[in-house]
Amino acid sequence: MAVSADLSKYLDKAYESSSLTEILAAPVSALAGVSEDDAAALAKAFHVMTVGDLGKNKYFLAAQAMLTLTQ
């Protein structure tokens, strides 16, 4: 089953027409509001290099789980 979603508000213009596979492989700076300096800090602190790395990072997943439990 095909699923579509408008992710443009979460992405820099250059990545708006990318496939989900391409977005997950893209640098974290592909996300709207994440600068190159922010991406470098994430890489240094958490070894997060791509959007996919950010999505599966154990610290970010733990924070998301805790937030979900409070709602």
Side-chain angles (χ1 to χ4, degrees):
M1 169 185 0
V3 176
S4 72
D6 181 8
L7 302 175
S8 62
K9 67 181 176 182
Y10 302 109
L11 301 169
D12 281 347
K13 292 267 186 229
Y15 293 91
E16 287 181 357
S17 62
S18 299
S19 70
L20 189 54
T21 301
E22 292 168 330
I23 294 167
L24 292 173
V28 181
S29 59
L31 297 171
V34 179
S35 70
E36 294 290 334
D37 288 343
D38 296 334
L42 285 167
K44 183 176 181 181
F46 298 105
H47 305 287
V48 168
M49 306 300 289
T50 67
V51 174
D53 291 341
L54 182 65
K56 63 185 175 189
N57 179 275
K58 67 181 180 180
Y59 301 109
F60 291 92
L61 289 170
Q64 183 66 41
M66 287 182 255
L67 181 62
T68 299
L69 288 170
T70 66
Q71 297 175 359

